[in-house]
Amino acid sequence: MSGNLSISSGKYERIVFSPEENKDINIACGTRQLLSINRVDFEAYDITRRIFNESVTRQTVDGIKVSLKGEEEEFVRSSYHVTLEMKVADGIMFGLGSHYDGYKCLNGIDLPLYQENLKISIPFFISTAGFGCLIQNGSYMRFDNTTEGIVKIYVDCADILELYVFAGTVDEIHASYMEVTGKTPMLPKWAVGYAQSKERYQNAEELLSVVKRYRQICVPLDLVVQDWLYWDDGLWGQKSFDKKRYPDPKSTIDKIHELGAKVMISIWPNMNGDGPDQREFKEKI
């Protein structure tokens, strides 16, 4: 299937691609060409599941880790790798979430999209040429603009591919995007202020002293983060404080609140040392 599609400014269109129905589409907003979908390739493959029959336990700096051995493969179902290729109008592209690669914009880069520590991938980008694209898929993806004027999206797993194309100003595109995804509640004012964190504060006195120092030198501070190892020695991931180093956590936090700051406590899901939380967890699984 091929053709021309016109999107009014401030509006969007949902386009669905499947192995059975492919589309070459020129997309415009009024007389302005936004992008052309050159090709959508579906490559069939089998999804398999690995079955393990042996576990290996080891102690690491992050606590006890368990790895699995003796794997066998079991067929789950068939799916597709998808390649979407678009010719895009000249403009500067931004988006795709929060990444630590140090780029200023998306032009000219090849960017993998997946979730990990310090990396938050959102398959949505906008262009100063007056359009935005949302690729509705939750699998691993890659954005490739290493060829000028061409955007390739590689999708690791899809039965169909949904593409939302938005037209208009940046504000209009964001408004249309929220129609599709839902509106994000406004964060409280303190949450957009400065947050102080380090690896790590050793005790309650140090944590409180940091906030006091910020107030003394008149540097704005809205949040201080207590990172790991605040628990009793050896009780990895325990959700309570070592009473020797944090004798009265409520009093410490109340004092920080009196200084006009909030406290965030980093919690760790992996547990070790047979502490109260770990014992409760074992009883309930």
Side-chain angles (χ1 to χ4, degrees):
M1 180 178 178
S2 61
N4 299 316
L5 177 63
S6 181
I7 305 176
S8 300
S9 185
K11 301 296 182 181
Y12 68 90
E13 289 287 342
R14 174 179 176 264
I15 308 169
V16 179
F17 304 94
S18 69
E20 296 78 24
E21 185 178 11
N22 221 320
K23 304 173 183 179
D24 298 323
I25 304 174
N26 297 314
I27 301 176
C29 180
T31 59
R32 187 160 40 90
Q33 180 72 20
L34 301 179
L35 59 91
S36 298
I37 298 170
N38 295 340
R39 67 184 180 95
V40 185
D41 294 335
F42 284 79
E43 179 187 350
Y45 75 104
D46 291 337
I47 300 174
T48 59
R49 175 170 53 212
R50 292 181 177 179
I51 302 174
F52 302 89
N53 53 33
E54 182 182 352
S55 63
V56 178
T57 303
R58 67 190 191 281
Q59 179 70 49
T60 74
V61 68
D62 288 331
I64 290 179
K65 295 293 180 68
V66 178
S67 57
L68 302 174
K69 296 178 65 176
E71 64 187 71
E72 298 177 1
E73 286 197 356
E74 178 182 85
F75 173 79
V76 177
R77 67 180 183 90
S78 297
S79 188
Y80 296 90
H81 300 306
V82 184
T83 302
L84 168 67
E85 182 178 299
M86 301 181 287
K87 182 178 180 181
V88 298
D90 289 341
I92 303 174
M93 293 177 287
F94 302 94
L96 298 180
S98 175
H99 306 269
Y100 49 79
D101 302 72
Y103 58 85
K104 295 181 179 179
C105 64
L106 300 176
N107 296 62
I109 71 169
D110 186 332
L111 183 67
L113 302 177
Y114 57 92
Q115 312 299 339
E116 71 167 13
N117 192 17
L118 303 180
K119 186 177 179 73
I120 303 171
S121 295
I122 301 172
F124 170 66
F125 67 92
I126 62 173
S127 169
T128 57
F131 71 89
C133 290
L134 168 66
I135 302 90
Q136 179 68 356
N137 184 275
S139 73
Y140 170 85
M141 285 186 268
R142 262 182 53 226
F143 171 94
D144 181 359
N145 183 231
T146 53
T147 300
E148 186 176 357
I150 300 294
V151 168
K152 294 180 181 178
I153 306 291
Y154 301 96
V155 179
D156 188 60
C157 181
D159 298 322
I160 62 170
L161 187 66
E162 293 181 75
L163 174 68
Y164 290 82
V165 180
F166 306 84
T169 65
V170 171
D171 286 344
E172 287 175 330
I173 290 171
H174 281 149
S176 296
Y177 176 78
M178 286 189 289
E179 286 184 31
V180 174
T181 63
K183 291 186 178 181
T184 302
M186 179 62 72
L187 293 172
K189 189 175 180 180
W190 64 263
V192 296
Y194 179 69
Q196 169 63 37
S197 179
K198 65 172 288 186
E199 198 291 304
R200 61 189 166 85
Y201 300 118
Q202 305 281 343
N203 51 57
E205 183 179 353
E206 183 184 13
L207 184 69
L208 180 58
S209 69
V210 168
V211 181
K212 288 180 177 179
R213 181 59 179 160
Y214 270 87
R215 295 297 181 250
Q216 289 170 359
I217 61 178
C218 298
V219 173
L221 172 71
D222 288 280
L223 174 70
V224 64
V225 180
Q226 172 64 63
D227 209 339
W228 64 341
L229 295 179
Y230 49 81
W231 47 75
D232 288 283
D233 187 34
L235 300 186
W236 195 274
Q238 173 65 25
K239 311 305 185 290
S240 59
F241 289 92
D242 179 352
K243 289 183 171 56
K244 294 179 181 178
R245 294 179 293 120
Y246 301 85
D248 190 346
K250 183 179 186 306
S251 175
T252 301
I253 294 171
D254 285 345
K255 290 175 182 177
I256 292 173
H257 287 169
E258 290 170 5
L259 291 168
K262 304 289 185 181
V263 181
M264 178 185 290
I265 301 171
S266 175
I267 61 171
W268 291 66
N270 50 323
M271 293 177 284
N272 185 28
D274 202 33
D277 286 355
Q278 188 178 20
R279 291 196 299 272
E280 180 183 0
F281 177 75
K282 288 179 178 179
E283 291 170 359
K284 293 183 178 181
I285 60 173

